[in-house]
Amino acid sequence: MTLPGEIDLENNTDSAQTILIVDDDIRFHNLMHDVLSVQGYRVLKASSGQTGVELYRENYPDLVFLDLSMPDMNGLQVLDAIQEMDENAIVIVITAYGTVELAVAAMQQGAVDFVEKLDDTTNIQETLFRKVETVLEDVNGE
């Protein structure tokens, strides 16, 4: 198990697509990791906005799941920092405290989608997997 803010390289293969999860909710963080790593993705985890920005800069992942509510930087600040590094970054914002205004702001700022965290872990697992497959297929032209 990786400590909060550390890189999880357990599925580190050169051919695996990389997904960065930036979320301070460790329970949700680990759920997402489990869902995605089982599918063969290389998963990087950051428990703070600053760590997420650093991991993005070091790895340029294929996809980012970004929580909007974090203590050190809000998700829109992180999204802005990522967009400054890579205007083609693929970011899906997630939050337990979703509002229409935040969703609109994130989409206007360049996020490709918005997912609300739910207590139903089965539903969120299915939703996350569908989002990853759809977004990465669109990007790869499949």
Side-chain angles (χ1 to χ4, degrees):
M1 176 177 224
T2 306
L3 296 174
E6 291 185 349
I7 302 173
D8 181 348
L9 297 176
E10 81 181 38
N11 292 307
N12 185 12
T13 64
D14 291 338
S15 63
Q17 290 180 302
T18 303
I19 298 174
L20 171 61
I21 302 166
V22 185
D23 194 328
D24 64 326
D25 177 347
I26 301 303
R27 184 182 65 86
F28 189 75
H29 204 254
N30 290 330
L31 170 68
M32 291 177 66
H33 170 268
D34 292 347
V35 169
L36 298 170
S37 63
V38 164
Q39 297 300 321
Y41 295 102
R42 177 178 176 237
V43 180
L44 306 175
K45 299 189 300 186
S47 60
S48 72
Q50 186 61 43
T51 302
V53 170
E54 291 168 9
L55 286 176
Y56 193 91
R57 184 180 298 112
E58 294 167 4
N59 295 277
Y60 283 85
D62 299 290
L63 176 65
V64 178
F65 279 103
L66 173 61
D67 186 15
L68 288 180
S69 299
M70 292 180 288
D72 66 329
M73 297 173 72
N74 73 41
L76 295 179
Q77 292 170 318
V78 176
L79 179 58
D80 186 50
I82 289 172
Q83 291 287 332
E84 284 182 23
M85 284 184 273
D86 180 4
E87 65 185 27
N88 297 314
I90 302 169
V91 179
I92 296 175
V93 293
I94 52 175
T95 189
Y97 311 102
T99 66
V100 174
E101 293 82 15
L102 276 178
V104 169
M107 300 293 280
Q108 289 175 337
Q109 199 165 316
V112 298
D113 211 338
F114 184 90
V115 177
E116 189 172 0
K117 291 181 190 177
L118 304 171
D119 289 332
D120 179 359
T121 58
T122 301
N123 189 32
I124 195 66
Q125 288 177 10
E126 292 170 6
T127 300
L128 290 173
F129 185 68
R130 279 194 312 271
K131 295 282 184 189
V132 169
E133 291 294 305
T134 301
V135 169
L136 292 179
E137 283 177 9
D138 287 348
V139 169
N140 295 325
E142 296 177 7

